[in-house]
Amino acid sequence: MYLNNMLMDPERLERLVNIAESSLLPLVKGALLYTIPLAFITFVIGLAIALLTALARLSSIKALQWIARAYVSAIRGTPLLVQLFIIFYGLPTIGIIIDPLPAAIIGFSLNVGAYASEIIRAAILSIPKGQWEAAYSLGMDDVQTLRRIILPQAARVSVPPLSNTFISLVKDTSLASLILVSEMFRKAQEIAATNYEFLLLYTEAALIYWIICFFLSIIQGNIESRLSRYVVR
């Protein structure tokens, strides 16, 4: 029905084309200035948190294990949207006010850190114990063994799932629109509010998300192909 009405009304079709053309640049700018940088920054911070959390989970110190377990359980057991709302809307009630973009960075980083920590922990555990023993026999301590032997191998194992996590994160950044971050989907909402063409604007935003994720998938495939050269089969 929608398509039939649009095709039968040349003026409406022309209007929709004009709206799509005029909204493309703001949406692309929102993606380039907020969506992609937000995903990249939070992923890098999240990886740092994930590595520390994974090492804490593998530590022999019980206190660190329990703190890491509690953090991962809390983040994985609650929706990302709820976490963002707690940070941006909830904390001001106790006097902690955080601007939209920093709040999004904190929320996404903590979320990525929890999920990625399980990936990294599993990757470290997948390395045969003989690698540790061989490193010890060469006189390396735990830190040297991790840095020179274990983590490089674990990195190759964790690339595919971590790449998927990053692609999912790019899509999840759309939730930042709900805490007033002017990323791409927020731009789509603002433009749609002026012309009421919600289907057109949201579809256009969805296509841009798809294009971004498509190219990220290609990059992921290339990285995996390069790393597979160094994996003994």
mmCIF file with all atom_site columns, all heavy atoms in Angstrom, residues 172-183:
data_model
loop_
_atom_site.group_PDB
_atom_site.id
_atom_site.type_symbol
_atom_site.label_atom_id
_atom_site.label_alt_id
_atom_site.label_comp_id
_atom_site.label_asym_id
_atom_site.label_entity_id
_atom_site.label_seq_id
_atom_site.pdbx_PDB_ins_code
_atom_site.Cartn_x
_atom_site.Cartn_y
_atom_site.Cartn_z
_atom_site.occupancy
_atom_site.B_iso_or_equiv
_atom_site.pdbx_formal_charge
_atom_site.auth_seq_id
_atom_site.auth_comp_id
_atom_site.auth_asym_id
_atom_site.auth_atom_id
_atom_site.pdbx_PDB_model_num
ATOM 1  N N   . ASP A 1 172 ? 25.113 -1.247 18.078 1.00 0.00 ? 172 ASP A N   1
ATOM 2  C CA  . ASP A 1 172 ? 24.609 -0.900 19.408 1.00 0.00 ? 172 ASP A CA  1
ATOM 3  C C   . ASP A 1 172 ? 24.745 0.592  19.722 1.00 0.00 ? 172 ASP A C   1
ATOM 4  O O   . ASP A 1 172 ? 24.040 1.102  20.604 1.00 0.00 ? 172 ASP A O   1
ATOM 5  C CB  . ASP A 1 172 ? 25.348 -1.700 20.487 1.00 0.00 ? 172 ASP A CB  1
ATOM 6  C CG  . ASP A 1 172 ? 24.949 -3.160 20.490 1.00 0.00 ? 172 ASP A CG  1
ATOM 7  O OD1 . ASP A 1 172 ? 23.896 -3.492 19.919 1.00 0.00 ? 172 ASP A OD1 1
ATOM 8  O OD2 . ASP A 1 172 ? 25.700 -3.986 21.054 1.00 0.00 ? 172 ASP A OD2 1
ATOM 9  N N   . THR A 1 173 ? 25.644 1.290  19.007 1.00 0.00 ? 173 THR A N   1
ATOM 10 C CA  . THR A 1 173 ? 25.798 2.723  19.273 1.00 0.00 ? 173 THR A CA  1
ATOM 11 C C   . THR A 1 173 ? 24.516 3.502  19.009 1.00 0.00 ? 173 THR A C   1
ATOM 12 O O   . THR A 1 173 ? 24.380 4.634  19.465 1.00 0.00 ? 173 THR A O   1
ATOM 13 C CB  . THR A 1 173 ? 26.935 3.328  18.423 1.00 0.00 ? 173 THR A CB  1
ATOM 14 O OG1 . THR A 1 173 ? 26.683 3.074  17.027 1.00 0.00 ? 173 THR A OG1 1
ATOM 15 C CG2 . THR A 1 173 ? 28.276 2.754  18.811 1.00 0.00 ? 173 THR A CG2 1
ATOM 16 N N   . SER A 1 174 ? 23.585 2.895  18.261 1.00 0.00 ? 174 SER A N   1
ATOM 17 C CA  . SER A 1 174 ? 22.305 3.569  18.025 1.00 0.00 ? 174 SER A CA  1
ATOM 18 C C   . SER A 1 174 ? 21.562 3.819  19.335 1.00 0.00 ? 174 SER A C   1
ATOM 19 O O   . SER A 1 174 ? 20.748 4.750  19.431 1.00 0.00 ? 174 SER A O   1
ATOM 20 C CB  . SER A 1 174 ? 21.421 2.734  17.086 1.00 0.00 ? 174 SER A CB  1
ATOM 21 O OG  . SER A 1 174 ? 21.156 1.459  17.639 1.00 0.00 ? 174 SER A OG  1
ATOM 22 N N   . LEU A 1 175 ? 21.865 3.016  20.365 1.00 0.00 ? 175 LEU A N   1
ATOM 23 C CA  . LEU A 1 175 ? 21.226 3.214  21.671 1.00 0.00 ? 175 LEU A CA  1
ATOM 24 C C   . LEU A 1 175 ? 21.677 4.522  22.315 1.00 0.00 ? 175 LEU A C   1
ATOM 25 O O   . LEU A 1 175 ? 20.981 5.050  23.186 1.00 0.00 ? 175 LEU A O   1
ATOM 26 C CB  . LEU A 1 175 ? 21.550 2.042  22.602 1.00 0.00 ? 175 LEU A CB  1
ATOM 27 C CG  . LEU A 1 175 ? 20.980 0.678  22.214 1.00 0.00 ? 175 LEU A CG  1
ATOM 28 C CD1 . LEU A 1 175 ? 21.487 -0.397 23.170 1.00 0.00 ? 175 LEU A CD1 1
ATOM 29 C CD2 . LEU A 1 175 ? 19.462 0.720  22.210 1.00 0.00 ? 175 LEU A CD2 1
ATOM 30 N N   . ALA A 1 176 ? 22.823 5.037  21.879 1.00 0.00 ? 176 ALA A N   1
ATOM 31 C CA  . ALA A 1 176 ? 23.303 6.302  22.436 1.00 0.00 ? 176 ALA A CA  1
ATOM 32 C C   . ALA A 1 176 ? 22.365 7.454  22.101 1.00 0.00 ? 176 ALA A C   1
ATOM 33 O O   . ALA A 1 176 ? 22.389 8.488  22.767 1.00 0.00 ? 176 ALA A O   1
ATOM 34 C CB  . ALA A 1 176 ? 24.716 6.609  21.925 1.00 0.00 ? 176 ALA A CB  1
ATOM 35 N N   . SER A 1 177 ? 21.533 7.276  21.072 1.00 0.00 ? 177 SER A N   1
ATOM 36 C CA  . SER A 1 177 ? 20.565 8.321  20.720 1.00 0.00 ? 177 SER A CA  1
ATOM 37 C C   . SER A 1 177 ? 19.575 8.567  21.859 1.00 0.00 ? 177 SER A C   1
ATOM 38 O O   . SER A 1 177 ? 19.037 9.670  22.003 1.00 0.00 ? 177 SER A O   1
ATOM 39 C CB  . SER A 1 177 ? 19.790 7.921  19.454 1.00 0.00 ? 177 SER A CB  1
ATOM 40 O OG  . SER A 1 177 ? 19.013 6.744  19.682 1.00 0.00 ? 177 SER A OG  1
ATOM 41 N N   . LEU A 1 178 ? 19.367 7.544  22.686 1.00 0.00 ? 178 LEU A N   1
ATOM 42 C CA  . LEU A 1 178 ? 18.408 7.658  23.788 1.00 0.00 ? 178 LEU A CA  1
ATOM 43 C C   . LEU A 1 178 ? 18.965 8.416  24.977 1.00 0.00 ? 178 LEU A C   1
ATOM 44 O O   . LEU A 1 178 ? 18.215 8.745  25.900 1.00 0.00 ? 178 LEU A O   1
ATOM 45 C CB  . LEU A 1 178 ? 17.943 6.268  24.218 1.00 0.00 ? 178 LEU A CB  1
ATOM 46 C CG  . LEU A 1 178 ? 17.214 5.462  23.132 1.00 0.00 ? 178 LEU A CG  1
ATOM 47 C CD1 . LEU A 1 178 ? 16.893 4.065  23.622 1.00 0.00 ? 178 LEU A CD1 1
ATOM 48 C CD2 . LEU A 1 178 ? 15.935 6.181  22.704 1.00 0.00 ? 178 LEU A CD2 1
ATOM 49 N N   . ILE A 1 179 ? 20.280 8.676  24.954 1.00 0.00 ? 179 ILE A N   1
ATOM 50 C CA  . ILE A 1 179 ? 20.852 9.535  25.994 1.00 0.00 ? 179 ILE A CA  1
ATOM 51 C C   . ILE A 1 179 ? 21.423 10.811 25.353 1.00 0.00 ? 179 ILE A C   1
ATOM 52 O O   . ILE A 1 179 ? 22.396 11.389 25.834 1.00 0.00 ? 179 ILE A O   1
ATOM 53 C CB  . ILE A 1 179 ? 21.920 8.804  26.838 1.00 0.00 ? 179 ILE A CB  1
ATOM 54 C CG1 . ILE A 1 179 ? 23.070 8.298  25.965 1.00 0.00 ? 179 ILE A CG1 1
ATOM 55 C CG2 . ILE A 1 179 ? 21.295 7.640  27.604 1.00 0.00 ? 179 ILE A CG2 1
ATOM 56 C CD1 . ILE A 1 179 ? 24.235 7.767  26.783 1.00 0.00 ? 179 ILE A CD1 1
ATOM 57 N N   . LEU A 1 180 ? 20.827 11.171 24.218 1.00 0.00 ? 180 LEU A N   1
ATOM 58 C CA  . LEU A 1 180 ? 21.032 12.486 23.577 1.00 0.00 ? 180 LEU A CA  1
ATOM 59 C C   . LEU A 1 180 ? 22.370 12.642 22.864 1.00 0.00 ? 180 LEU A C   1
ATOM 60 O O   . LEU A 1 180 ? 22.783 13.780 22.578 1.00 0.00 ? 180 LEU A O   1
ATOM 61 C CB  . LEU A 1 180 ? 20.867 13.619 24.604 1.00 0.00 ? 180 LEU A CB  1
ATOM 62 C CG  . LEU A 1 180 ? 19.586 13.571 25.455 1.00 0.00 ? 180 LEU A CG  1
ATOM 63 C CD1 . LEU A 1 180 ? 19.555 14.757 26.407 1.00 0.00 ? 180 LEU A CD1 1
ATOM 64 C CD2 . LEU A 1 180 ? 18.351 13.539 24.578 1.00 0.00 ? 180 LEU A CD2 1
ATOM 65 N N   . VAL A 1 181 ? 23.052 11.548 22.560 1.00 0.00 ? 181 VAL A N   1
ATOM 66 C CA  . VAL A 1 181 ? 24.275 11.637 21.758 1.00 0.00 ? 181 VAL A CA  1
ATOM 67 C C   . VAL A 1 181 ? 23.879 11.816 20.295 1.00 0.00 ? 181 VAL A C   1
ATOM 68 O O   . VAL A 1 181 ? 23.050 11.058 19.776 1.00 0.00 ? 181 VAL A O   1
ATOM 69 C CB  . VAL A 1 181 ? 25.150 10.381 21.912 1.00 0.00 ? 181 VAL A CB  1
ATOM 70 C CG1 . VAL A 1 181 ? 26.374 10.463 21.001 1.00 0.00 ? 181 VAL A CG1 1
ATOM 71 C CG2 . VAL A 1 181 ? 25.578 10.223 23.364 1.00 0.00 ? 181 VAL A CG2 1
ATOM 72 N N   . SER A 1 182 ? 24.468 12.789 19.624 1.00 0.00 ? 182 SER A N   1
ATOM 73 C CA  . SER A 1 182 ? 24.062 13.122 18.257 1.00 0.00 ? 182 SER A CA  1
ATOM 74 C C   . SER A 1 182 ? 24.719 12.203 17.227 1.00 0.00 ? 182 SER A C   1
ATOM 75 O O   . SER A 1 182 ? 25.331 12.670 16.258 1.00 0.00 ? 182 SER A O   1
ATOM 76 C CB  . SER A 1 182 ? 24.412 14.583 17.959 1.00 0.00 ? 182 SER A CB  1
ATOM 77 O OG  . SER A 1 182 ? 23.721 15.462 18.802 1.00 0.00 ? 182 SER A OG  1
ATOM 78 N N   . GLU A 1 183 ? 24.588 10.896 17.440 1.00 0.00 ? 183 GLU A N   1
ATOM 79 C CA  . GLU A 1 183 ? 25.140 9.971  16.460 1.00 0.00 ? 183 GLU A CA  1
ATOM 80 C C   . GLU A 1 183 ? 24.143 9.810  15.307 1.00 0.00 ? 183 GLU A C   1
ATOM 81 O O   . GLU A 1 183 ? 23.148 10.510 15.237 1.00 0.00 ? 183 GLU A O   1
ATOM 82 C CB  . GLU A 1 183 ? 25.497 8.633  17.114 1.00 0.00 ? 183 GLU A CB  1
ATOM 83 C CG  . GLU A 1 183 ? 24.444 8.043  18.016 1.00 0.00 ? 183 GLU A CG  1
ATOM 84 C CD  . GLU A 1 183 ? 23.311 7.428  17.240 1.00 0.00 ? 183 GLU A CD  1
ATOM 85 O OE1 . GLU A 1 183 ? 23.549 6.512  16.457 1.00 0.00 ? 183 GLU A OE1 1
ATOM 86 O OE2 . GLU A 1 183 ? 22.168 7.872  17.424 1.00 0.00 ? 183 GLU A OE2 1
#
